[in-house]
Amino acid sequence: CASCFCVFLGKTVKKIRMCFPNEKTFREGFEEYILDCKARNLRDGTINHYQESIKQIYKRITPDTLISSMCRQTIRRIDSGTVGNAVPGKAEAVIEGILTDEIAEVAIATEEQTGIAFRWEEKNGCVVIRAEGKSAHASTPWEGNSALTGLLALLMQFPFADCEGQRRLRGAVPHGAFYGEAAGVAQADELSGRLVLSSNVLHYAEGGMSGRIDCRAPMCASEETVLEVLREKLAAYGWYLSESCK
């Protein structure tokens, strides 16, 4: 898998790429998928359906085929947001390899947790998932409901190959987090209040990813307590901020 990330304070920064090897066989990957389904308490009927369906797939793709030789990019596209200073009310993803029955089951639970409405349809061998929340200004993201982070909260529950780039990104953008706690930059002062951080733009296609994060920092903030902390946080994921983010 290759993934890219552009980020921060309304500035566009350079793209980066990161790749991860995978030498599992198709059979091993499917067996791990079934274990994951059981861990997430999917219905027995759904799991049995997967196990019967794989028999037909094995007629075309041999079980010993290495996953690394197959198409591992099951998230084909993600699009959400147009400007960095507004929480996006809509988001869309195109995915492949996940059955609509499973999407429905996970979407219902995620909608209850996030308040984001999800709709999906099969199209050209893929599934298009649309998320609808509520837009808001980035200075008050809690007044909206981000369709982007809601969509990512849904997607991160599906077992997309062994693609660490995708999984790490989704885990790094939690839904409903406004004050930079997950990024390690939470801070406040009496005069200007709390730091506010929101991820408002994300465009992904063919392994490339670009996005924007809006940060409203209090007067007590500094490059060392915000930018450098974010730099270190992203570096742990294999990403970096360009020198233009100063």
Side-chain angles (χ1 to χ4, degrees):
C1 168
S3 63
C4 305
F5 194 51
C6 300
V7 65
F8 204 57
L9 294 175
K11 298 180 181 179
T12 301
V13 302
K14 296 179 181 178
K15 293 182 178 180
I16 62 168
R17 290 187 178 274
M18 50 198 244
C19 299
F20 301 87
N22 186 333
E23 294 302 323
K24 290 187 178 72
T25 65
F26 188 31
R27 185 196 302 277
E28 290 170 339
F30 177 74
E31 291 172 349
E32 288 189 9
Y33 173 62
I34 292 299
L35 289 175
D36 181 78
C37 290
K38 293 178 179 178
R40 290 184 288 118
N41 295 317
L42 265 65
R43 296 190 301 267
D44 289 342
T46 299
I47 293 175
N48 290 335
H49 174 66
Y50 293 163
Q51 291 172 325
E52 289 301 314
S53 297
I54 199 66
K55 295 176 182 178
Q56 299 302 316
I57 297 175
Y58 282 159
K59 293 179 180 179
R60 295 181 175 272
I61 305 175
T62 61
D64 292 333
T65 300
L66 292 177
I67 293 177
S68 59
S69 69
M70 301 167 61
C71 177
R72 298 153 55 196
Q73 192 69 52
T74 52
I75 296 179
R76 297 300 181 190
R77 178 172 61 80
I78 301 174
D79 282 301
S80 183
T82 56
V83 293
N85 65 349
V87 172
K90 295 183 178 180
E92 181 176 292
V94 177
I95 68 173
E96 187 175 355
I98 306 295
L99 299 179
T100 54
D101 286 347
E102 184 176 357
I103 293 173
E105 189 168 351
V106 176
I108 290 171
T110 306
E111 186 167 335
E112 291 178 354
Q113 295 168 0
T114 64
I116 299 296
F118 297 102
R119 301 291 182 269
W120 55 91
E121 63 174 332
E122 294 184 272
K123 188 174 183 180
N124 299 324
C126 297
V127 179
V128 180
I129 302 177
R130 298 181 178 90
E132 185 168 350
K134 180 183 177 182
S135 184
H137 195 272
S139 62
T140 54
W142 49 85
E143 293 183 356
N145 194 359
S146 174
L148 169 55
T149 56
L151 178 61
L152 293 176
L154 172 72
L155 293 177
M156 70 182 294
Q157 299 180 67
F158 298 125
F160 294 121
D162 270 350
C163 185
E164 291 299 326
Q166 294 175 12
R167 291 177 180 173
R168 288 172 176 175
L169 174 61
R170 294 196 297 272
V173 190
H175 185 73
F178 309 124
Y179 304 112
E181 292 94 335
V185 295
Q187 52 198 282
D189 59 46
E190 293 184 2
L191 183 61
S192 52
R194 302 174 71 175
L195 177 145
V196 177
L197 186 71
S198 57
S199 179
N200 300 326
V201 178
L202 180 64
H203 299 297
Y204 170 86
E206 298 301 325
M209 191 181 306
S210 63
R212 297 177 72 177
I213 288 177
D214 185 279
C215 181
R216 309 288 168 132
M219 294 178 64
C220 65
S222 66
E223 183 173 332
E224 289 74 21
T225 62
V226 180
L227 275 175
E228 292 307 317
V229 173
L230 279 173
R231 239 181 259 282
E232 183 176 351
K233 181 81 171 181
L234 291 174
Y237 293 141
W239 309 326
Y240 67 88
L241 292 175
S242 77
E243 291 303 315
S244 62
C245 286
K246 286 188 175 181

